[in-house]
Amino acid sequence: MSVAPRMIARVALFSALIYVLSWSTSYLPNINLIFFIVFTAGFVWGAVAGALVGAIGMALWTTLNPYGPAGLPVMVAQVVGAAASGPVGFIAAKADWRAMSNLRLLPWLVLAAIICTLAYYLPVNVVDAWIYQPFWPRFVVSMLWTLVSLGFNLLIFPLLFGVTRFLYLREHARL
């Protein structure tokens, strides 16, 4: 099995996009476009490409961010959690989304936003609370901060899905 250089470039570009956009939102706690970018990569290019975009982009961000690198267990949870949005995008692409009106598509995008957000924050918050203790108070407060990201993603996924649709149609017209 060979991987086309074009796909390698796409994964690298989207991973870099995650890093750059994370810098631009670094002063806004829990507000970022990572989940949507990884979801889009999975939607357009498949589960593996989406997971690679999430893993590479998050690995870059978590090691080279302005606040310093995360501890290794938290870093692993962040990388795995970010990679999970790629397969969610791939599964969403398999639905009959082209036949849906925007109103019928909205609940599916909201569900995708919820799954992507929780797939990232649940493992990260569990590992963080487990390491830095006391577990339950730290986990509960972390989950409250997760609501900020969830609210943002509930807006971003439906608002920016047109970009995903455009990329999908453009990429699949070439095949």
Side-chain angles (χ1 to χ4, degrees):
M1 180 181 145
S2 73
V3 178
R6 183 174 265 181
M7 185 56 67
I8 294 170
R10 288 178 174 127
V11 168
L13 179 65
F14 267 56
S15 298
L17 189 62
I18 286 173
Y19 181 70
V20 169
L21 290 175
S22 293
W23 263 100
S24 68
T25 60
S26 65
Y27 294 110
L28 304 169
N30 285 16
I31 294 177
N32 53 50
L33 295 167
I34 292 171
F35 309 110
F36 182 74
I37 294 168
V38 177
F39 171 84
T40 297
F43 193 95
V44 175
W45 300 306
V48 173
L52 283 172
V53 166
I56 294 168
M58 182 53 75
L60 286 170
W61 175 245
T62 195
T63 56
L64 303 172
N65 73 63
Y67 304 112
L72 187 60
V74 174
M75 184 183 300
V76 169
Q78 287 175 324
V79 169
V80 170
S85 294
V88 173
F90 174 71
I91 292 168
K94 296 300 176 193
D96 194 20
W97 60 271
R98 282 176 252 176
M100 292 183 194
S101 67
N102 287 340
L103 194 56
R104 283 193 55 222
L105 189 58
L106 183 64
W108 293 104
L109 294 173
V110 165
L111 181 63
I114 291 169
I115 292 170
C116 289
T117 304
L118 292 179
Y120 175 79
Y121 280 107
L122 277 175
V124 169
N125 292 345
V126 165
V127 169
D128 176 75
W130 188 270
I131 290 174
Y132 297 109
Q133 296 290 329
F135 182 84
W136 286 111
R138 189 163 181 112
F139 181 75
V140 169
V141 170
S142 297
M143 289 307 291
L144 291 174
W145 273 103
T146 299
L147 293 176
V148 173
S149 186
L150 181 61
F152 183 75
N153 286 338
L154 289 174
L155 291 173
I156 288 301
F157 274 63
L159 285 176
L160 294 182
F161 185 72
V163 174
T164 304
R165 182 186 316 231
F166 173 78
L167 285 173
Y168 182 90
L169 294 173
R170 182 172 178 228
E171 287 293 309
H172 292 274
R174 295 178 193 214
L175 300 178

